[in-house]
Amino acid sequence: PAIALAGCAQDPTKAAFCLGTDVFNSAYLGTKALIKAMGGKGRIVHLAGLLVDPNTKLRMDAVEKAVKETNGAVTLIQHLTDTDQQEAADQKINALLGAQKDQIDGMVATAYIPSVVAAKSLRSLGDKRIKLVGIDDDKIVLDGIRDGFVAGTMAQNPYGQGYVAAYALDLMASGTCVVNPNAPFLKTPQ
């Protein structure tokens, strides 16, 4: 048996099931928290992961949905993608801030590396005006929250996801467990 972990495959697939964060809802809630931290208005940038990651499109759609719900009070300047590698994130995020810092009121980062890079960049600039909501619990992001450079972060449990997936896969491989075809699985728009 095979399963998908952390990023679901597009249907049809031979994977018995997918186990991962509801990345659409996570990005949606993170963007809503960013909008609230900005006072309900302003201009934001979405710091996104790799375009080849199936989760990135879901996160982009979620950010757009949250922005649309403001009826024009919030503008999405851009999705800054392919920032899920250290060098690319450093270059892209710092270039963005260098060129447009005064036009940006908030950033939502939906991948780990851009969350850390953005938190470090805002600290280096001494900028607490630009609100940032990141993802995961890196010490740099948590220190940024404590010191006022980061408005918040979204948490995941990758260890738990991996552990539960390996356990379920072992049960399936041994024949102890089968996937119920009528189980109420969340269907993603992939």
Side-chain angles (χ1 to χ4, degrees):
I3 62 171
L5 179 62
C8 297
Q10 190 171 7
D11 288 334
T13 178
K14 291 185 180 185
F17 66 91
C18 174
L19 180 64
T21 301
D22 181 351
V23 296
F24 181 93
N25 196 45
S26 177
Y28 175 77
L29 294 174
T31 306
K32 296 289 277 184
L34 172 64
I35 291 167
K36 183 177 180 183
M38 294 171 23
K41 63 183 187 228
R43 296 167 305 247
I44 69 170
V45 173
H46 173 211
L47 307 174
L50 300 171
L51 279 175
V52 297
D53 180 340
N55 291 326
T56 297
K57 176 68 170 123
L58 293 171
R59 291 171 171 141
M60 291 167 69
D61 291 346
V63 170
E64 290 172 10
K65 178 183 177 188
V67 168
K68 185 177 180 182
E69 290 174 357
T70 70
N71 296 315
V74 174
T75 302
L76 175 62
I77 297 171
Q78 75 179 94
H79 297 283
L80 187 64
T81 61
D82 293 326
T83 60
D84 217 5
Q85 295 170 333
Q86 188 67 43
E87 187 174 342
D90 280 333
Q91 290 174 349
K92 289 181 177 190
I93 293 168
N94 287 308
L96 174 75
L97 289 171
Q100 298 182 44
K101 178 175 80 91
D102 295 336
Q103 289 84 44
I104 299 169
D105 301 304
M107 297 186 294
V108 59
T110 57
Y112 171 77
I113 291 172
S115 297
V116 174
V117 169
K120 286 171 59 177
S121 298
L122 291 175
R123 180 182 294 279
S124 293
L125 291 170
D127 194 321
K128 294 183 180 181
R129 183 192 66 78
I130 296 174
K131 304 302 180 200
L132 169 64
V133 171
I135 193 167
D136 295 325
D137 60 352
D138 187 274
K139 182 178 181 341
I140 292 169
V141 173
L142 296 179
D143 287 348
I145 292 170
R146 183 193 67 222
D147 298 337
F149 293 101
V150 179
T153 191
M154 301 167 273
Q156 299 185 92
N157 184 353
Y159 177 85
Q161 288 177 21
Y163 185 89
V164 169
Y167 179 73
L169 190 57
D170 182 55
L171 292 175
M172 291 170 59
S174 69
T176 308
C177 182
V178 295
V179 175
N180 181 343
N182 298 317
F185 291 108
L186 174 67
K187 292 288 187 185
T188 63
Q190 296 177 22

